[in-house]
Amino acid sequence: MSDGAPVVHLVDDDAAFLVALARFLRASRLMVQTFSSAAEFLARVSPETLGCVVIDLQMPGMDGLELQEALARTHRAMPVVFLTGQGDIPASVQAMRHGAEDFLQKLAPKEKLLDAIRRALARDARQRELKRRFSGLTEREFEVLAHVVRGQLNKQIAGDLGIHERTVKAHRTAITSKLGVPSVAELTRLTLEADIFPASTASLPKGQ
Amino acid sequence: MHKFQLLILLVLAAVTARGADEVGAHKNILVLYGERLDLPAIRQVEQTFQDQFGAVRSPAVGMFPEYFDFARFPADQSDTILAPYLRGRYAGKKIDLVITVTGMALDFALRHRDELFPGVPIVFMVMDPKDVDASHLPADVAGVAVHMDVAGTVGLALRLQPEAREIVVVSGASEFDKKCLVEVTPTLNSFANRIKWRAVAGRPLAETLDEVRHVPKENIVLVLTVISDGDGRALSVPEVARQLVPVSQAPIYGVTGTILGTGAVGGALIDFSGYARQTSDLALKILTGQHVDQGLQATDTPNAIMVDWRALKHWQLDESRLPAEATVIGRTPGLWETDRGWVIGVMAVVLTQLITIAGLLVQRAHRRRSQASPIDREKQISLVSQTVNLGLWVRNIETGEVLATDKFRALLNFAPGEALTYENFLGHLHPDDRETMSQAVQRAIAERTLYDTKYRVLLPDGSVRWIHSMGRAEYGRNGRPIRTLGVSTDITHHHHEEQEMKQLRHELAHVDRVTLLGQLASALAHELNQPLGAILRNAEAAELFLQMDPPDLEEVAAILADIRTDDQRAGQVIERMRLLLKRRDLESESVDVAGLIDVVVALTRGDAVARKITIETDHSRNLPPVRGDRVQFQQVLLNLVVNGMDALDDQTGGSRRVSLRAGRDGDGVIEIRVSDSGPGIPAEKLGKIFDPFFTTKPQGLGVGLAITRTIVEAHGGRIWAENNPEGGATFRVTLPVDGGKGAA
């Protein structure tokens, strides 16, 4: 898959709708690739793929929500916009809780649809930018960061990692200066946004 | 007829073969029964012998029965007593033939033949072909062997109870019982790959009852023979079966005809009377000097599959699973039968009354003419007609004059004094019925048959009265019709009920369709939004392409073509729904089965995807059509597919499949099968699922399958359900091929 320009990936088992939506998005000057099933998409997407994915909620075989989970599991956290034939509140709640950018009906106004797709593309670009920034950190600094965003004090971190409290302090300073953030709060926000820790460990810091 | 032929043979034999005095002479038959008389099977045999020999005049046959009860008094111990007893008893009698019933009686007769009745031919009836040692049989010994069809009964039981896991065989303690059990063991073992079995044999009756009480209801109890129990008590199959039936949760089957009427289901049953008839025929042939093959004769008595309807109900077995050749006894009439009974009842009354009463009427007419009409005659006529609530009439075809009872005049709404002629009569009918009525009468006259028709009488207040009328013509010596006579009765009330029932069924079918669509609604909305969404995005894209400089007209043309296709697609979804929702009259048309399946799959596809169910189809495109109402056929399949999908609700993991298969089932029948991979239907519910308001679903009305059956049967088809060996249930629908166009 080509790097460079971000691509809107469309996954829908309904060929007619897939063609129509692709036409409209291309005419709206977006790069588009179409996939007729979740499996086909998973087979061709890689962590380097840029852009977002628009997924039909109801598909035979792997459905939209399952595709979202599969993407999260494989660290290809591409922003997702869901489309559905008709309103399905429980499904939309689940989708949004798992970080979907939006959940729209197939007959949604084009402005809303384009808006959601553009937001998803922007989020992808921002996440990549953040990841690039975080990639300057050393392995030890990542370990410390993981503890910091969980709200732990230097003393606890030192104890957990078996290092001196002074060393922890030094790592924190290095992290904040490399990332250019002024406060722990901002550091935490940025870390969450960059989505660098798998969902299981990066639980929300207590007290927030 | 058989007896008749026999008589002719006897007469012929009397005329040709010997002197009339010898053949016509008295013949004595000694009948040796190996068991006691109160055994129902023995009683049946004895009764048949009495009937058979009693019907023969020449020779006159005298029977001397002896009952040995070898089950309780073993042969080896009784020999020393029985032989001298018989010798003493029959010393002065001339015995012409000996009949033995059971193998032990034959053995006894052969052992003592030379000392007791030398040279006297023996005809035997044994309960097992192995009881006869053909190689050692003397030349003038012949007979028949009862065939016990355990395989037939087990086959029937497995058909009725495909879920059964074990057969419990009940057998007695006597030597005979033990021998029977040994004989059938290989047959029972031959079912080993389908079902296991165990015997409850030789126990005291109380223990047997206790054992059977604990047999799970899905299993099978098979009563073999019980001449005596473990306590040495004299018993019989019907006696044991009668005690087992109330305590057994599992259906009880048998192999002997004597089990019928005890409440047991039945089986491939031995017809003891049939064998006894064959035995007595053989005896008569020998007595009249006809040729008889020595030894064991081929049997002409089949083990017919007999089933007690009440037992089917008692154990909730599905009658539709019975093989076609099964004879069902003890049926209590259903609604339809009651209805038909009513009609037949009226007809019987009519036919018997018609002749006498019409005769009386004619006499009355003659008397009137001769001014001699006794009051009591008229009274009698009016009494009879009032009792049966019938209007009676006679029409003289030549003069057109009609004589009728007052009841008939009242039925037809004739005013007092209004002239009653055939033309006037037709004038009182509803205009739409006049032609039909007059044609029915003409046809009956021409074809010399009874006409049976319904017509309406127009009443002054504009309402109608429904009349059921039957009649026929009488003919003169030259064959010309002289008069017609008949009976009429008011069936308005009955007719209204019929119409109301029909209307109600129609309404209910509609409610069921609406309910069905309600279940599919959200999936159908999705199905509809798919093409609508495509149209919307295509239209928006077209706008953008037109705004380009230069406009991309080629792309716009492609878009417009796609919009048209999607519009049709959306229209089809709506049309399919509209058709099911519409209140409509029934139509009869030729309906393509493959097309039917396509529509049902289209209607359920969305729901199936949402519920992660795969719908499979397997059918030829070249199936012949069926005839009937297209929407109702769709409703049948829709009900079955939705039902199948509902069966998968609690199924997590494994395959989630509903399959629709259609094919020919022999000539002139189409079979459609709807199978699911769900848990199957509990055996005790298989017989009930088509009952109205029977439902296992919390949201179900319980009318879907009942309506489905009503529709299928109204189209001359059948529907039943069964569990698949590999799991899940299959609903099978058979429908007759549309005969109108033939097999194209």
Side-chain angles (χ1 to χ4, degrees):
Chain A
M1 210 162 276
S2 71
D3 289 37
V7 174
V8 183
H9 304 82
L10 307 181
V11 187
D12 196 325
D13 63 306
D14 189 279
F17 185 80
L18 202 58
V19 168
L21 182 58
R23 262 188 197 128
F24 169 67
L25 294 179
R26 284 189 189 118
S28 305
R29 308 189 183 288
L30 288 163
M31 292 278 288
V32 176
Q33 264 192 318
T34 59
F35 306 87
S36 63
S37 72
E40 190 191 339
F41 175 66
L42 279 177
R44 286 170 54 191
V45 73
S46 80
E48 287 73 43
T49 313
L50 299 185
C52 68
V53 57
V54 179
I55 306 175
D56 180 20
L57 184 71
Q58 274 188 13
M59 290 185 288
M62 185 186 273
D63 68 20
L65 293 177
E66 287 167 340
L67 175 55
Q68 185 187 24
E69 276 172 37
L71 281 173
R73 267 203 308 279
T74 49
H75 302 277
R76 286 174 293 188
M78 193 180 266
V80 176
V81 174
F82 276 109
L83 289 184
T84 170
Q86 97 273 16
D88 184 339
I89 290 164
S92 66
V93 169
Q94 191 192 335
M96 297 309 280
R97 270 182 46 195
H98 286 78
E101 186 61 50
D102 214 336
F103 193 95
L104 297 172
Q105 301 220 358
K106 284 196 169 174
L107 293 172
K110 60 179 174 184
E111 293 78 15
K112 236 178 150 180
L113 177 65
L114 283 174
D115 193 42
I117 290 175
R118 292 202 172 111
R119 265 190 284 116
L121 290 175
R123 180 157 138 194
D124 183 56
R126 170 120 176 102
Q127 274 178 356
R128 278 172 200 286
E129 161 60 17
L130 285 172
K131 281 208 175 102
R132 199 186 47 73
R133 276 157 72 182
F134 277 94
S135 65
L137 302 184
T138 64
E139 213 166 299
R140 179 57 94 185
E141 283 165 354
F142 262 110
E143 280 177 1
V144 173
L145 178 62
H147 287 81
V148 171
V149 296
R150 253 184 257 152
Q152 287 186 337
L153 300 173
N154 288 350
K155 197 189 274 177
Q156 290 171 294
I157 300 173
D160 282 359
L161 296 178
I163 52 175
H164 208 276
E165 197 179 334
R166 269 205 310 277
T167 322
V168 176
K169 230 176 225 171
H171 282 309
R172 287 183 71 145
T173 316
I175 294 169
T176 45
S177 73
K178 274 183 184 171
L179 295 175
V181 287
S183 63
V184 173
E186 181 64 11
L187 178 65
T188 308
R189 195 193 59 75
L190 212 62
T191 312
L192 281 176
E193 195 187 344
D195 194 22
I196 47 173
F197 296 114
S200 53
T201 52
S203 55
L204 280 174
K206 281 168 196 151
Q208 284 211 0
Chain B
M1 199 156 96
H2 202 77
K3 280 185 210 166
F4 186 65
Q5 287 172 340
L6 204 67
L7 269 173
I8 291 180
L9 282 175
L10 288 172
V11 171
L12 279 179
V15 175
T16 56
R18 295 154 181 229
D21 53 355
E22 198 181 330
V23 176
H26 203 86
K27 298 283 187 191
N28 289 331
I29 300 181
L30 175 63
V31 190
L32 304 179
Y33 295 95
E35 300 300 337
R36 50 187 215 274
L37 172 64
D38 65 307
L39 265 182
I42 297 294
R43 205 158 26 192
Q44 270 185 23
V45 171
E46 153 92 328
Q47 188 60 49
T48 308
F49 284 164
Q50 277 178 18
D51 293 347
Q52 291 291 104
F53 294 126
V56 179
R57 289 281 159 269
S58 175
V61 176
M63 268 198 298
F64 296 91
E66 295 288 341
Y67 308 94
F68 292 160
D69 199 355
F70 284 137
R72 288 184 297 177
F73 304 95
D76 48 352
Q77 294 164 29
S78 336
D79 253 28
T80 50
I81 306 158
L82 285 178
Y85 155 78
L86 288 175
R87 194 182 321 116
R89 187 160 199 192
Y90 292 97
K93 287 267 183 293
K94 178 180 156 292
I95 297 297
D96 300 288
L97 188 115
V98 175
I99 293 180
T100 64
V101 178
T102 79
M104 288 189 210
L106 172 63
D107 289 346
F108 175 87
L110 291 174
R111 268 201 307 278
H112 301 283
R113 189 181 184 197
D114 291 342
E115 61 176 295
L116 293 179
F117 22 81
V120 176
I122 297 178
V123 173
F124 61 82
M125 171 175 163
V126 293
M127 298 302 163
D128 180 355
K130 292 202 180 109
D131 286 347
V132 182
D133 183 1
S135 56
H136 289 91
L137 229 44
D140 48 359
V141 176
V144 294
V146 169
H147 167 62
M148 190 179 272
D149 188 6
V150 170
T153 295
V154 172
L156 171 76
L158 287 176
R159 221 175 141 126
L160 286 170
Q161 300 173 249
E163 306 287 288
R165 296 208 311 277
E166 190 182 48
I167 303 173
V168 176
V169 178
V170 173
S171 169
S174 75
E175 286 306 313
F176 178 81
D177 297 329
K178 287 180 197 158
K179 200 163 69 70
C180 282
L181 184 59
V182 170
E183 286 298 323
V184 302
T185 295
T187 312
L188 287 165
N189 287 342
S190 71
F191 285 91
N193 60 345
R194 282 222 39 199
I195 193 162
K196 55 181 183 160
W197 71 280
R198 68 186 163 96
V200 178
R203 312 251 201 112
L205 181 60
E207 268 181 39
T208 306
L209 288 173
D210 219 41
E211 192 72 40
V212 168
R213 208 190 305 268
H214 294 106
V215 176
K217 59 186 164 192
E218 70 268 18
N219 284 349
I220 293 164
V221 176
L222 172 59
V223 181
L224 212 55
T225 65
V226 190
I227 287 180
S228 63
D229 75 351
D231 288 339
R233 194 169 141 205
L235 286 168
S236 66
V237 167
E239 198 173 335
V240 171
R242 244 178 239 120
Q243 298 206 36
L244 287 176
V245 165
V247 303
S248 177
Q249 293 171 279
I252 293 174
Y253 298 83
V255 290
T256 58
T258 51
I259 202 163
L260 269 189
T262 62
V265 176
L269 303 182
I270 297 168
D271 172 12
F272 289 109
S273 302
Y275 286 104
R277 260 194 303 279
Q278 210 187 341
T279 307
S280 58
D281 287 351
L282 210 53
L284 281 169
K285 273 188 179 169
I286 292 172
L287 287 179
T288 54
Q290 295 176 64
H291 172 75
V292 164
D293 289 329
Q294 176 258 351
L296 198 56
Q297 314 286 305
T299 174
D300 57 7
T301 307
N303 292 53
I305 293 188
M306 306 279 284
V307 171
D308 191 329
W309 188 81
R310 291 157 295 194
L312 292 181
K313 292 288 137 188
H314 175 66
W315 280 296
Q316 292 160 2
L317 299 170
D318 184 1
E319 191 181 347
S320 68
R321 290 167 170 276
L322 288 177
E325 68 272 22
T327 305
V328 181
I329 63 148
R331 191 193 295 274
T332 51
L335 201 66
W336 185 79
E337 276 100 333
T338 329
D339 214 36
R340 192 178 55 170
W342 182 86
V343 175
I344 289 171
V346 166
M347 246 175 93
V349 170
V350 166
L351 283 170
T352 49
Q353 304 276 349
L354 196 65
I355 318 245
T356 47
I357 292 167
L360 292 177
L361 270 170
V362 174
Q363 278 183 12
R364 174 187 173 203
H366 283 304
R367 289 230 171 81
R368 267 222 181 123
R369 236 170 269 151
S370 61
Q371 305 292 317
S373 163
I375 291 288
D376 60 332
R377 282 278 183 212
E378 288 203 24
K379 266 192 183 157
Q380 200 174 337
I381 294 161
S382 94
L383 187 72
V384 170
S385 70
Q386 270 164 22
T387 313
V388 294
N389 204 20
L390 298 169
L392 312 170
W393 51 267
V394 177
R395 167 168 74 107
N396 185 320
I397 291 174
E398 220 165 280
T399 62
E401 187 192 5
V402 178
L403 293 167
T405 59
D406 291 344
K407 177 74 188 171
F408 181 77
R409 293 181 63 96
L411 279 178
L412 271 286
N413 202 38
F414 271 84
E418 187 180 351
L420 179 52
T421 63
Y422 186 55
E423 279 63 38
N424 282 353
F425 157 74
L426 288 177
H428 277 244
L429 266 50
H430 190 287
D432 293 350
D433 293 346
R434 286 173 196 160
E435 186 62 25
T436 343
M437 178 64 194
S438 102
Q439 274 177 6
V441 173
Q442 271 164 26
R443 199 165 43 241
I445 294 173
E447 294 170 5
R448 297 184 169 237
T449 53
L450 188 78
Y451 79 78
D452 180 346
T453 180
K454 289 178 190 173
Y455 56 78
R456 284 164 291 178
V457 173
L458 257 183
L459 299 178
D461 64 359
S463 63
V464 295
R465 176 182 291 154
W466 279 91
I467 304 287
H468 183 191
S469 179
M470 291 179 177
R472 61 169 171 78
E474 285 188 348
Y475 305 83
R477 268 195 213 106
N478 55 6
R480 286 242 303 274
I482 304 168
R483 59 181 86 88
T484 56
L485 37 100
V487 192
S488 303
T489 188
D490 186 344
I491 54 159
T492 310
H493 181 63
H494 183 70
H495 193 84
H496 279 170
E497 273 178 4
E498 216 170 72
Q499 293 292 104
E500 274 167 22
M501 282 301 291
K502 219 168 161 183
Q503 189 57 33
L504 214 60
R505 274 200 296 272
H506 199 65
E507 290 287 324
L508 205 55
H510 181 247
V511 168
D512 174 58
R513 288 202 298 275
V514 174
T515 314
L516 266 177
L517 269 186
Q519 266 178 277
L520 301 174
S522 96
L524 285 169
H526 180 85
E527 203 79 346
L528 192 59
N529 280 340
Q530 215 68 281
L532 291 182
I535 290 171
L536 180 63
R537 299 283 98 95
N538 265 325
E540 288 163 353
E543 279 172 356
L544 294 174
F545 285 118
L546 285 173
Q547 283 163 16
M548 287 175 186
D549 192 21
D552 190 343
L553 293 180
E554 218 172 289
E555 188 71 38
V556 171
I559 286 175
L560 289 178
D562 283 358
I563 286 179
R564 180 176 304 166
T565 312
D566 282 323
D567 180 76
Q568 282 166 355
R569 208 172 99 194
Q572 280 168 3
V573 175
I574 293 171
E575 179 59 20
R576 283 196 290 263
M577 289 165 63
R578 198 184 63 88
L579 211 60
L580 284 170
L581 285 175
K582 214 168 84 175
R583 281 173 191 280
R584 43 190 288 290
D585 291 331
L586 292 181
E587 281 168 24
S588 178
E589 56 186 322
S590 201
V591 179
D592 173 41
V593 177
L596 208 57
I597 291 177
D598 290 345
V599 169
V600 171
V601 170
L603 277 166
T604 48
R605 186 177 41 214
D607 199 37
V609 168
R611 295 161 80 171
K612 300 203 157 294
I613 293 166
T614 314
I615 296 190
E616 296 169 344
T617 59
D618 178 11
H619 57 276
S620 156
R621 289 274 143 199
N622 300 324
L623 287 174
V626 290
R627 174 160 288 275
D629 189 84
R630 182 185 302 277
V631 175
Q632 289 210 334
F633 284 145
Q634 283 178 18
Q635 183 174 1
V636 165
L637 295 190
L638 209 52
N639 256 317
L640 296 182
V641 171
V642 168
N643 192 65
M645 293 202 289
D646 289 347
L648 299 171
D649 271 352
D650 301 327
Q651 184 104 330
T652 47
S655 74
R656 290 165 65 81
R657 273 179 302 102
V658 172
S659 70
L660 262 159
R661 296 192 185 86
R664 276 169 178 270
D665 180 27
D667 260 6
V669 177
I670 294 279
E671 186 184 57
I672 305 172
R673 299 184 188 196
V674 181
S675 313
D676 63 66
S677 58
I681 302 163
E684 75 273 12
K685 289 181 180 156
L686 263 176
K688 281 195 202 158
I689 50 172
F690 293 102
D691 293 349
F693 307 113
F694 178 84
T695 181
T696 53
K697 303 175 203 165
Q699 80 277 23
L701 243 185
V703 296
L705 286 178
I707 283 167
T708 300
R709 179 164 71 175
T710 312
I711 294 173
V712 170
E713 287 177 352
H715 285 90
R718 290 212 309 134
I719 180 167
W720 69 100
E722 55 195 31
N723 286 310
N724 310 325
E726 70 278 12
T730 296
F731 283 80
R732 298 169 66 169
V733 177
T734 58
L735 289 167
V737 165
D738 178 14
K741 282 180 184 166

